[in-house]
Amino acid sequence: MPSIRNMFSSLASRAVHGTWRWAQRAGAVTADRPGPHAFRRIGEGSRLAFPQGTVFGAPWIEIGDHCVIGQEVTLTAGMMPDLDLGPDTVLRLGNGVVLGRGSHVIADTSVTFGDDVFCGPYVYVTSTNHSYDDPEEPVGRQWPRTAPVEIGGGSWLGAGAVVLPGARLGRNVVVAAGAVVRGEVPDHAVVAGAPARVVRRWDPERGWQPPLRTPPPVPIPEGVTPEQLVALSDPPVCDAVRDAVRDAGRDTGTASGGTLDRTAEER
């Protein structure tokens, strides 16, 4: 009977999804549950989502506090597993680092992420690149070149960005999606392209140059509840919600006439 088959199919689907959710919870790596990975350090509140990508050289990898490592992220120290890399940390993630799903961080020599570096999905950071000096030898068989990589605190790397050996990114750098970064990038710069070049910089006297095309977003005031935000999608209550948001902003000394007001009016 079709109805019976549909019922069993639905039950099987629920069982599969339930089992997968359980596996994701049980397989996540934390300081309390490191699984098979003997990291040099994994900080409080940090979590590697399950399933993890390739992980080796864990004794030479330090993960700071409150880091979020997405599914299928590769973290490697050394060219291959089971090498003795000496006394120093090779791959260091600062506090609050976020690595999006499918990202790869390959550290054959020192790779350092500052605090609060956010990476979109499928970002690739490597301290090693193939060489092609000998035109007769296959590229993959030639000894690679390595150089340390540093990514300054507060930076944002968009989806699919590539950071090559020797790159040194300053503080609060924005790397556009798909950009290929090499060399030095100054603090408070936006880079884009392949190879990446600086397309915008912060000037202490003139602000962003060239100027930003959109105004900065207005933060949501403290005291605004999730229910009030959801209610903005309901036209009859927009006015009441806007008044409540404005009152909350007055109580906390935060302006409330920006993003939320505009959103309500647009509804």
Side-chain angles (χ1 to χ4, degrees):
M1 297 285 293
S3 59
I4 295 177
R5 285 200 299 271
N6 290 342
M7 180 182 68
F8 278 108
S9 177
S10 177
L11 291 173
S13 176
R14 292 183 182 182
V16 167
H17 285 281
T19 301
W20 180 246
R21 287 193 296 270
W22 175 86
Q24 287 179 307
R25 291 192 296 270
V29 169
T30 66
D32 296 330
R33 298 184 303 171
H37 307 301
F39 290 108
R40 174 163 292 188
R41 178 176 184 268
I42 178 168
E44 177 185 359
S46 291
R47 183 182 183 93
L48 283 74
F50 179 85
Q52 290 91 43
T54 300
V55 177
F56 63 75
W60 290 271
I61 298 175
E62 290 189 26
I63 299 173
D65 299 335
H66 306 293
C67 293
V68 178
I69 314 298
Q71 293 183 15
E72 301 170 349
V73 168
T74 290
L75 298 174
T76 67
M79 289 189 178
M80 60 188 70
D82 302 323
L83 296 177
D84 185 348
L85 304 178
D88 300 326
T89 297
V90 175
L91 170 56
R92 178 179 284 109
L93 304 182
N95 298 327
V97 170
V98 175
L99 295 177
R101 178 177 183 147
S103 293
H104 287 60
V105 183
I106 312 299
D108 292 341
T109 188
S110 174
V111 173
T112 303
F113 286 67
D115 294 342
D116 300 312
V117 173
F118 282 53
C119 299
Y122 306 107
V123 167
Y124 191 91
V125 178
T126 181
S127 65
T128 301
N129 209 351
H130 290 290
S131 61
Y132 50 89
D133 300 72
D134 187 342
E136 304 300 327
E137 186 73 11
V139 172
R141 294 181 181 274
Q142 298 189 44
W143 195 254
R145 286 186 169 87
T146 63
V149 172
E150 295 184 19
I151 299 175
S155 295
W156 161 249
L157 280 62
V162 176
V163 179
L164 294 176
R168 295 170 59 92
L169 281 64
R171 291 180 57 251
N172 281 43
V173 167
V174 175
V175 178
V180 179
V181 184
R182 61 185 184 185
E184 301 246 357
V185 178
D187 294 348
H188 309 294
V190 180
V191 296
R197 62 183 183 86
V198 175
V199 296
R200 181 172 278 122
R201 288 194 64 179
W202 172 260
D203 182 281
E205 296 181 356
R206 298 186 298 160
W208 286 106
Q209 297 297 319
L212 298 173
R213 291 189 291 269
T214 57
V218 178
I220 297 173
E222 294 182 10
V224 177
T225 67
E227 291 76 15
Q228 289 173 326
L229 294 176
V230 171
L232 288 173
S233 62
D234 187 358
V237 298
C238 278
D239 291 340
V241 172
R242 188 167 60 250
D243 292 342
V245 170
R246 185 177 294 110
D247 292 342
R250 291 196 188 101
D251 293 340
T252 61
T254 305
S256 62
T259 302
L260 292 175
D261 281 354
R262 288 197 298 270
T263 303
E265 290 163 3
E266 289 167 357
R267 298 287 184 185

